[in-house]
Amino acid sequence: MTNLWDASAAEDFAARPLDAAVQADLAVVGGGYTGLSAALHAAEAGARVVLLEAGRIGAGGSGRNVGLVNAGLWLPPEDVAAALGPEEGAALNAALAAGPAEVFGLIERHGIACEPVRAGTLHCAHAPGAMADLRRRHAQAAAAGAPVALLDAAEAQARTGSPAVHGALHDARAGTIQPLAYARGLARAAQGAGAHLHEDSQVTETEYENGVWRLRTGQGGAVTARRLLMATNAYHRAPRGTDLPRTATLHFFQLATAPLPPGELAGVLPGGEGAWDTGTVMTSFRRDAAGRVILGGMGRPEGLARTFHHGWARRKLGQLFPSLAGVRFEHAWSGRIAVTGDHLPKVLRLGRGGLAVFGYSGRGIAPGTVLGRAAAEALVEDREAALPIAARDAYDDPAPRLRSAIYEAGALAWHGAAARLRR
């Protein structure tokens, strides 16, 4: 089975590898949302930009995620402020609250064909006790003036079409997109603005000397640039000269049905929202423009684990939507998420004239778009104040591999236990 987003993307994009020596004001490494947003905005500001992607545009998390364009982070606003301090926390909260508007604005301005639906998202209570957390999140978002609504069980079941939810938090700022098509559309827009994008151009070496960055690729290309943005996130391939701190990685997989007949689909998320639940081992569910139902869950579906994870998904679909019990999946794919220890994104200085942005902890679309633009402004204009979160000289996660193993073990145990309980 294949990645639905790759099979259904209306946007196409292709670029040749870099096989020559070129100069730039800004070199960007990574063709996901952060790098593409940076390239687009820097090029629109008149900078000469060269972007290098090791594979294809959107090959990492930007082409593998759920496609939920959410406002903010996993952490609610008061937790962000507590972690960063009131001033920095308020700046980041405000920037990311406006993130969906920025994403949907770019889609409209550049005519990106990525199935945008701005009907909001539903954070669903997987059990009655989970409503306490949703009430806390609702109170914080409402206090900041966000258009959010807390739904009781009956309202949430009507909005989702699922008897398995016990309430929900609706955020009208949010929505859904076809995530790979959005990435390709950003690439097209950046190229149209004058940025030079190169696929299949893995950076193998970097060095900084006398105010200049020099990058070399495995295909014989070379870039000399005044500024560097490393935007590789969970798919970082460390070049010689610029390694990044490790983060924990969390794997997330998705399966999609074939397009369903209108009568069969009518009761499933009839308002077009995207949804996910409050479970520690989270589940997501949404529809696409063709009428497929897409279910996601935590875990790395490889080897024997694939049997547990995919078996859980088949049962979960029927639990959420009894009318779809037994419906087969046609597509299956997975990706990985960079999870920082405090669940906050990081902007790291790479000596003088360089930044790395990473660690969205599962909220990459809007934050990646916002922080990519901000990083471009900070680098091209030599103005770190453009960043909504302060750049730091170091980041240390004491046990990223252990946390990665815990995430996978927890997901496997949960999905495996669900299978045993079903018997």
Side-chain angles (χ1 to χ4, degrees), residues 1 51 96 121 217 265-266 292 298 312 338 343 352 361 377 390 420:
M1 290 192 280
L51 181 148
L96 298 187
T121 52
T217 75
L265 190 66
R292 300 176 181 91
M298 292 167 55
W312 164 86
H343 300 284
R352 288 184 55 81
S361 300
E377 294 172 4
R420 289 192 295 274

mmCIF file of all heavy atoms in Angstrom, residues 1 51 96 121 217 265-266 292 298 312 338 343 352 361 377 390 420:
data_model
loop_
_atom_site.group_PDB
_atom_site.id
_atom_site.type_symbol
_atom_site.label_atom_id
_atom_site.label_comp_id
_atom_site.label_asym_id
_atom_site.label_seq_id
_atom_site.Cartn_x
_atom_site.Cartn_y
_atom_site.Cartn_z
ATOM 1 N N MET A 1 0.843 -1.192 0.000
ATOM 2 C CA MET A 1 0.000 0.000 0.000
ATOM 3 C C MET A 1 0.885 1.252 0.000
ATOM 4 O O MET A 1 2.012 1.210 0.480
ATOM 5 C CB MET A 1 -0.937 -0.010 1.202
ATOM 6 C CG MET A 1 -2.037 -1.071 1.109
ATOM 7 S SD MET A 1 -3.353 -0.899 2.337
ATOM 8 C CE MET A 1 -2.550 -1.641 3.757
ATOM 9 N N LEU A 51 17.912 26.392 -2.015
ATOM 10 C CA LEU A 51 17.398 25.370 -1.106
ATOM 11 C C LEU A 51 17.847 24.003 -1.592
ATOM 12 O O LEU A 51 17.679 23.672 -2.776
ATOM 13 C CB LEU A 51 15.876 25.443 -1.020
ATOM 14 C CG LEU A 51 15.197 24.444 -0.068
ATOM 15 C CD1 LEU A 51 13.931 25.058 0.523
ATOM 16 C CD2 LEU A 51 14.849 23.124 -0.750
ATOM 17 N N LEU A 96 1.734 31.743 16.886
ATOM 18 C CA LEU A 96 1.194 30.448 16.469
ATOM 19 C C LEU A 96 -0.330 30.425 16.478
ATOM 20 O O LEU A 96 -0.942 29.627 15.765
ATOM 21 C CB LEU A 96 1.763 29.340 17.337
ATOM 22 C CG LEU A 96 3.291 29.183 17.254
ATOM 23 C CD1 LEU A 96 3.745 27.951 18.014
ATOM 24 C CD2 LEU A 96 3.790 29.148 15.820
ATOM 25 N N THR A 121 -11.039 22.215 13.791
ATOM 26 C CA THR A 121 -10.656 20.865 14.202
ATOM 27 C C THR A 121 -11.372 20.518 15.504
ATOM 28 O O THR A 121 -11.812 21.397 16.250
ATOM 29 C CB THR A 121 -9.137 20.740 14.426
ATOM 30 O OG1 THR A 121 -8.694 21.768 15.316
ATOM 31 C CG2 THR A 121 -8.395 20.839 13.101
ATOM 32 N N THR A 217 27.539 19.102 -1.701
ATOM 33 C CA THR A 217 26.565 18.020 -1.816
ATOM 34 C C THR A 217 27.228 16.778 -2.387
ATOM 35 O O THR A 217 28.294 16.844 -3.005
ATOM 36 C CB THR A 217 25.396 18.413 -2.733
ATOM 37 O OG1 THR A 217 25.815 18.376 -4.102
ATOM 38 C CG2 THR A 217 24.866 19.807 -2.400
ATOM 39 N N LEU A 265 -20.736 7.717 3.603
ATOM 40 C CA LEU A 265 -19.864 8.711 4.212
ATOM 41 C C LEU A 265 -20.631 9.800 4.946
ATOM 42 O O LEU A 265 -20.053 10.540 5.752
ATOM 43 C CB LEU A 265 -19.001 9.352 3.107
ATOM 44 C CG LEU A 265 -17.844 10.249 3.516
ATOM 45 C CD1 LEU A 265 -16.774 9.447 4.251
ATOM 46 C CD2 LEU A 265 -17.246 10.911 2.287
ATOM 47 N N ALA A 266 -21.910 9.902 4.725
ATOM 48 C CA ALA A 266 -22.691 11.063 5.165
ATOM 49 C C ALA A 266 -22.552 11.373 6.644
ATOM 50 O O ALA A 266 -22.492 12.535 7.046
ATOM 51 C CB ALA A 266 -24.162 10.860 4.810
ATOM 52 N N ARG A 292 -12.436 9.738 1.147
ATOM 53 C CA ARG A 292 -11.761 8.688 1.907
ATOM 54 C C ARG A 292 -11.820 9.027 3.398
ATOM 55 O O ARG A 292 -11.811 10.197 3.776
ATOM 56 C CB ARG A 292 -10.297 8.562 1.483
ATOM 57 C CG ARG A 292 -10.091 8.214 0.012
ATOM 58 C CD ARG A 292 -8.603 8.215 -0.303
ATOM 59 N NE ARG A 292 -8.329 7.910 -1.697
ATOM 60 C CZ ARG A 292 -8.217 8.827 -2.665
ATOM 61 N NH1 ARG A 292 -8.381 10.117 -2.371
ATOM 62 N NH2 ARG A 292 -7.952 8.468 -3.903
ATOM 63 N N MET A 298 -0.255 6.210 16.692
ATOM 64 C CA MET A 298 1.159 6.211 17.039
ATOM 65 C C MET A 298 1.753 4.815 16.857
ATOM 66 O O MET A 298 1.097 3.816 17.111
ATOM 67 C CB MET A 298 1.334 6.680 18.487
ATOM 68 C CG MET A 298 0.988 8.140 18.702
ATOM 69 S SD MET A 298 0.830 8.590 20.460
ATOM 70 C CE MET A 298 2.414 8.042 21.103
ATOM 71 N N TRP A 312 -5.026 -3.131 14.926
ATOM 72 C CA TRP A 312 -5.701 -2.147 15.775
ATOM 73 C C TRP A 312 -6.472 -1.138 14.931
ATOM 74 O O TRP A 312 -7.605 -0.782 15.259
ATOM 75 C CB TRP A 312 -4.671 -1.425 16.648
ATOM 76 C CG TRP A 312 -5.210 -0.163 17.240
ATOM 77 C CD1 TRP A 312 -5.917 -0.035 18.400
ATOM 78 C CD2 TRP A 312 -5.113 1.148 16.683
ATOM 79 N NE1 TRP A 312 -6.261 1.282 18.607
ATOM 80 C CE2 TRP A 312 -5.788 2.029 17.567
ATOM 81 C CE3 TRP A 312 -4.519 1.668 15.531
ATOM 82 C CZ2 TRP A 312 -5.883 3.400 17.329
ATOM 83 C CZ3 TRP A 312 -4.610 3.025 15.283
ATOM 84 C CH2 TRP A 312 -5.289 3.877 16.173
ATOM 85 N N ALA A 338 9.808 14.829 15.429
ATOM 86 C CA ALA A 338 10.848 15.213 16.381
ATOM 87 C C ALA A 338 10.183 15.796 17.621
ATOM 88 O O ALA A 338 9.471 16.798 17.534
ATOM 89 C CB ALA A 338 11.791 16.235 15.762
ATOM 90 N N HIS A 343 8.446 19.746 24.714
ATOM 91 C CA HIS A 343 7.410 19.856 23.687
ATOM 92 C C HIS A 343 7.331 21.265 23.076
ATOM 93 O O HIS A 343 6.290 21.648 22.538
ATOM 94 C CB HIS A 343 6.038 19.432 24.227
ATOM 95 C CG HIS A 343 6.006 18.013 24.703
ATOM 96 N ND1 HIS A 343 5.954 16.945 23.843
ATOM 97 C CD2 HIS A 343 6.051 17.493 25.952
ATOM 98 C CE1 HIS A 343 5.958 15.826 24.533
ATOM 99 N NE2 HIS A 343 6.024 16.125 25.813
ATOM 100 N N ARG A 352 27.946 31.986 13.865
ATOM 101 C CA ARG A 352 27.470 33.255 13.322
ATOM 102 C C ARG A 352 26.794 33.008 11.967
ATOM 103 O O ARG A 352 27.284 32.264 11.148
ATOM 104 C CB ARG A 352 28.622 34.237 13.134
ATOM 105 C CG ARG A 352 29.167 34.805 14.448
ATOM 106 C CD ARG A 352 30.236 35.845 14.175
ATOM 107 N NE ARG A 352 29.746 36.901 13.292
ATOM 108 C CZ ARG A 352 29.009 37.940 13.690
ATOM 109 N NH1 ARG A 352 28.669 38.042 14.973
ATOM 110 N NH2 ARG A 352 28.621 38.858 12.839
ATOM 111 N N SER A 361 7.176 18.613 17.666
ATOM 112 C CA SER A 361 6.450 17.665 18.520
ATOM 113 C C SER A 361 5.058 17.337 17.989
ATOM 114 O O SER A 361 4.099 17.187 18.743
ATOM 115 C CB SER A 361 6.363 18.197 19.962
ATOM 116 O OG SER A 361 7.656 18.380 20.498
ATOM 117 N N GLU A 377 13.463 36.109 7.966
ATOM 118 C CA GLU A 377 13.606 37.516 8.338
ATOM 119 C C GLU A 377 14.795 37.719 9.263
ATOM 120 O O GLU A 377 15.572 38.680 9.101
ATOM 121 C CB GLU A 377 12.324 38.005 9.006
ATOM 122 C CG GLU A 377 11.117 38.033 8.076
ATOM 123 C CD GLU A 377 9.813 38.342 8.812
ATOM 124 O OE1 GLU A 377 9.880 38.611 10.037
ATOM 125 O OE2 GLU A 377 8.755 38.316 8.172
ATOM 126 N N ALA A 390 13.062 32.834 21.269
ATOM 127 C CA ALA A 390 14.461 33.237 21.250
ATOM 128 C C ALA A 390 15.361 32.132 20.714
ATOM 129 O O ALA A 390 15.166 30.949 21.014
ATOM 130 C CB ALA A 390 14.907 33.634 22.656
ATOM 131 N N ARG A 420 -5.801 -8.108 22.195
ATOM 132 C CA ARG A 420 -6.090 -9.206 23.124
ATOM 133 C C ARG A 420 -7.454 -9.035 23.765
ATOM 134 O O ARG A 420 -8.203 -9.994 23.953
ATOM 135 C CB ARG A 420 -4.995 -9.271 24.190
ATOM 136 C CG ARG A 420 -3.662 -9.769 23.658
ATOM 137 C CD ARG A 420 -2.711 -10.086 24.793
ATOM 138 N NE ARG A 420 -2.340 -8.901 25.541
ATOM 139 C CZ ARG A 420 -1.336 -8.098 25.214
ATOM 140 N NH1 ARG A 420 -0.616 -8.344 24.129
ATOM 141 N NH2 ARG A 420 -1.052 -7.039 25.953
#
